Amino acid sequence: MSEPFLAEMRMVGFNFPPRGWALCDGQILPINQNQSLYALLGTTYGGDGRSDFALPDMRGRMPVHRDAEHALGSKTISGDHTVVATDVVDSLTVERDLASRSSSTELYSGAATEVLAAPYCAVNFCIALQGLFPSRN
């Protein structure tokens, strides 16, 4: 792995942070021991800004781009995503042109008969605690 930028986030398939990285689990860090990282993150993800700041909390979340609806560091909940199953075998509607699909098109039909167990986290997010300070140009 090449040297990361400080505060760079990466997805990993294991449950521990590599050396020089921390899990993105919202932990609070002291500013006096992480001044460069604080200079990049500030209190965007929490902390009081005098003695401590927080890392992003990506547990059970996915990153999205920043726009008018999503401020940097916001925790948006976009509805219930319960996984359900049905016993109808031939309920899949296949469409050749996915670009022409409207939002009202249902890919699965039939009544849901079973609520499945909540999906497990397949990846963890880590943030670089050491690395190159990114330049602005």
Side-chain angles (χ1 to χ4, degrees):
M1 230 177 354
S2 63
E3 177 142 9
F5 286 110
L6 185 63
E8 176 182 334
M9 290 174 54
R10 290 188 187 175
M11 291 186 288
V12 295
F14 36 86
N15 61 358
F16 61 90
R19 184 173 300 144
W21 295 73
L23 288 175
C24 291
D25 58 2
Q27 64 182 301
I28 304 293
L29 298 178
I31 293 173
N32 61 358
Q33 295 177 14
N34 301 281
Q35 292 177 357
S36 297
L37 187 60
Y38 174 71
L40 295 170
L41 297 181
T43 57
T44 302
Y45 304 103
D48 63 11
R50 291 186 314 271
S51 61
D52 57 38
F53 68 103
L55 296 179
D57 187 357
M58 296 301 295
R59 295 173 295 178
R61 296 184 174 93
M62 285 300 296
V64 295
H65 61 87
R66 188 176 116 192
D67 61 8
E69 291 182 42
H70 305 96
L72 183 64
S74 65
K75 297 176 183 174
T76 306
I77 299 173
S78 59
D80 183 16
H81 297 289
T82 305
V83 180
V84 294
T86 180
D87 61 357
V88 179
V89 176
D90 59 346
S91 65
L92 177 62
T93 302
V94 178
E95 295 183 8
R96 293 181 186 268
D97 185 8
L98 294 176
S100 68
R101 184 180 348 141
S102 70
S103 61
S104 62
T105 302
E106 291 186 30
L107 290 179
Y108 297 93
S109 61
T113 58
E114 292 290 327
V115 176
L116 302 177
Y120 290 93
C121 179
V123 296
N124 286 301
F125 288 86
C126 291
I127 187 166
L129 300 178
Q130 302 168 357
L132 303 171
F133 196 92
S135 63
R136 292 191 179 270
N137 48 356

